[in-house]
Amino acid sequence: MTTNEALWNDLLKWQTDINKKDEALLKSKPIHDKAISPIREMTEIVLDNLKPKGLNALSSTSKNDISVNKKPTLIERAEAEKTKGNDYFKQSNFKQAVVHYTKAIELNPTVSVYYVNRAMAYIKLENYIEAERDCTKGIQFDTKNVKAYWRRGIALQKLGRIVEAKKDMELALKLEPKNATIAKDLQALISTNKTLPKEQKTNSENKFRSLPINVIDAAYEPQSSQQPPLTPVSTSKVNKTPQPVSGTPMATAKQTKDVKEITANITSVKEEQRKEKKTTDSVPAKVTTEKTRPAIVPSSTVPLKFSVPKTNFEFERDWKTCKARGIDVLYQYFQNIPPASFATLFKSSLESDYFEQMIHILATKYVEQKTPKDIYDVLDGLSRVKRLDMLLMFLSKQQEKELESLFTLIKSSDVVPKDKMDRLSMFYKIR
């Protein structure tokens, strides 16, 4: 019994001591305020009086300094080419400037500034036709480009198209009324126009556009084919016809006799023509039909021979010439070009005007005279031209309807496999 009480008293004493120690620990300060032996030596960071911006500020330099091999985009490359063109232009090296402006257009053909800058280089090279075309293209992408109207006015003035030049400069001045240089050029144009003859002012617009074209072909017959041949007159008599000279004596008797003989021959010919006309009028229609010659063949049915263009320059030259002669001649020229050569021929670019005219020719002449397979070959060849998808974005509603009708015709004929037709329809965005 004594042993058990001793053990119990000992256990109570141990519990009391433990409680006292716990109370002492709770009353003491936290452990992190006590001196702890350092794990590693302290290092001092010197920032040269710069205020630190956090951990990211110390690591951001490494991100920026890392060189990434990133290829420039087409837009960045085009801007670089434009900058090179500007540098060559400042050095008066206009030909090299045209080269770099052209590269910029090929990389990004939707920027108006590239066309307008190249137009100025063309003006310096006195290539006013190309300058006028570039300015027109620049206006298509930016209708408020002052320099485009101004420089086109300069090019038109040099081409002699004063009325159009005046309109462009007036429009440029309207967009930028405080531009003294444009106002000066416009005033000089007006003063120059006052000195021109009246006929030149009214016809200045058509002076360089309308050109007479004489078509010489074996299929054409002279309209006077039904008239009888004239009575031959000796060359010796014609050559001896007296020439009127002021202050000379009267013609000799021999010269007067020759003149009378020639006059008599002409009179007899006219009489024979009148008699022949009366005779043909009195003859029945059947006899007249048998004796007359074949009718004159219209120019649209006469097959013309064209050389296949090898460069874009040759194509544009021939296209403009054939366009002036009518859509029939233009169709004959266009169908002469193999569709497989379109990608090579229009490697640099295909103008929207030419593309729209091609669609119109397909919808009219090709539908009438060609097969659906021929139409498909042309559309497939055009689809392989670079950046043609951008020209499709600017088609008018009329051209879009013509394009849809062409695809409807090809699909209904079943001459093209469905997979090829689906691919072409997807390219031209035809449902």
Side-chain angles (χ1 to χ4, degrees), residues 111 117 206 360 364 416:
V111 180
N117 285 8
N206 299 325
H360 181 65
T364 54
V416 181

Side-chain angles (χ1 to χ4, degrees), residues 75-89 97 100-105 107 111 113-115 117-118:
I75 297 176
E76 294 173 347
R77 290 167 58 190
E79 283 294 319
E81 293 295 338
K82 186 201 78 170
T83 304
K84 291 179 181 178
N86 292 343
D87 294 338
Y88 280 109
F89 188 90
H100 288 285
Y101 289 141
T102 304
K103 290 181 180 179
I105 292 172
L107 292 169
V111 180
V113 177
Y114 302 160
Y115 293 96
N117 285 8
R118 189 171 70 173

Side-chain angles (χ1 to χ4, degrees), residues 376 416-425:
Y376 169 81
V416 181
K418 188 176 182 303
D419 56 341
K420 292 184 178 181
M421 200 64 209
D422 292 341
R423 183 196 66 80
L424 197 65
S425 300

Side-chain angles (χ1 to χ4, degrees), residues 144-351:
K144 295 184 179 180
N145 193 319
V146 178
K147 291 183 179 180
Y149 291 106
W150 178 23
R151 291 171 183 177
R152 189 171 72 173
I154 295 173
L156 291 171
Q157 182 185 4
K158 296 294 184 180
L159 292 171
R161 293 155 62 181
I162 306 299
V163 177
E164 294 176 88
K166 184 172 176 289
K167 289 180 181 179
D168 279 344
M169 288 193 180
E170 287 176 347
L171 188 54
L173 192 61
K174 184 179 180 180
L175 292 172
E176 198 171 307
K178 296 182 180 180
N179 194 316
T181 309
I182 300 177
K184 183 180 178 181
D185 288 348
L186 178 60
Q187 189 62 35
L189 177 64
I190 294 173
S191 60
T192 305
N193 193 29
K194 288 180 180 179
T195 60
L196 293 175
K198 185 177 181 181
E199 183 179 356
Q200 186 175 354
K201 291 179 185 179
T202 56
N203 298 330
S204 60
E205 183 173 356
N206 299 325
K207 181 178 178 182
F208 290 90
R209 286 187 175 180
S210 59
L211 296 174
I213 299 175
N214 299 324
V215 180
I216 301 174
D217 198 279
Y220 287 86
E221 296 289 342
Q223 294 182 356
S224 60
S225 59
Q226 298 180 6
Q227 297 179 358
L230 296 176
T231 304
V233 181
S234 62
T235 310
S236 60
K237 292 182 179 180
V238 175
N239 292 337
K240 293 179 181 179
T241 303
Q243 301 293 335
V245 181
S246 61
T248 57
M250 295 182 63
T252 61
K254 186 177 180 182
Q255 290 175 338
T256 306
K257 184 179 179 180
D258 292 337
V259 173
K260 288 181 179 180
E261 289 179 1
I262 295 171
T263 307
N265 287 332
I266 295 173
T267 306
S268 63
V269 168
K270 289 183 179 179
E271 290 295 334
E272 290 179 5
Q273 290 177 359
R274 290 173 186 171
K275 292 178 181 180
E276 184 69 22
K277 185 176 182 182
K278 290 180 180 179
T279 306
T280 53
D281 292 340
S282 61
V283 176
K286 292 183 179 180
V287 179
T288 307
T289 306
E290 292 175 0
K291 290 184 178 181
T292 54
R293 295 187 181 184
I296 298 174
V297 182
S299 62
S300 60
T301 60
V302 178
L304 303 176
K305 294 182 179 180
F306 296 100
S307 60
V308 179
K310 297 180 180 179
T311 62
N312 194 13
F313 174 78
E314 292 180 359
F315 167 80
E316 292 182 358
R317 178 198 62 195
D318 298 340
W319 187 272
K320 291 176 182 178
T321 303
C322 294
K323 183 182 177 183
R325 298 176 64 178
I327 190 172
D328 295 314
V329 179
L330 195 61
Y331 156 69
Q332 292 188 40
Y333 174 72
F334 181 57
Q335 60 95 24
N336 186 53
I337 304 174
S341 66
F342 288 162
T344 306
L345 184 61
F346 307 119
K347 181 171 60 175
S348 57
S349 64
L350 175 61
E351 298 293 337

